[in-house]
Amino acid sequence: MKIYCCAEHVEVGLDNIVDEAEVPPFINNLSDEEGGKVTHNSGEFTCEYCGKPAVYVVANEHSDTICGR
């Protein structure tokens, strides 16, 4: 499970993963070295709660993200 969040909703994402997965999640900052713009092959990520640009990805250890390296 992974949730993309803006800074305002990162705590909500943390709570949702803990509630559903019952394990502590990992948090990854999505900003890159190019001025903080979040990029990916499919475009910018947006917060799953409000649609603003995502700043973090919150994920459990079983997701396909690179969190927790």
Side-chain angles (χ1 to χ4, degrees):
M1 174 178 197
K2 63 183 172 182
I3 300 172
Y4 295 98
C5 305
C6 67
E8 182 179 341
H9 291 109
V10 70
E11 289 184 30
V12 177
L14 287 167
D15 289 342
N16 286 340
I17 289 199
V18 169
D19 289 345
E20 289 189 31
E22 298 180 358
V23 295
F26 298 102
I27 302 173
N28 226 14
N29 189 323
L30 292 175
S31 64
D32 60 22
E33 299 167 9
E34 308 268 334
K37 184 174 180 182
V38 178
T39 58
H40 185 264
N41 293 340
S42 63
E44 285 192 6
F45 291 109
T46 58
C47 176
E48 295 185 26
Y49 302 102
C50 68
K52 293 179 184 176
V55 178
Y56 301 101
V57 59
V58 181
N60 63 20
E61 63 186 349
H62 302 293
S63 73
D64 60 351
T65 64
I66 60 171
C67 294
R69 271 204 238 170

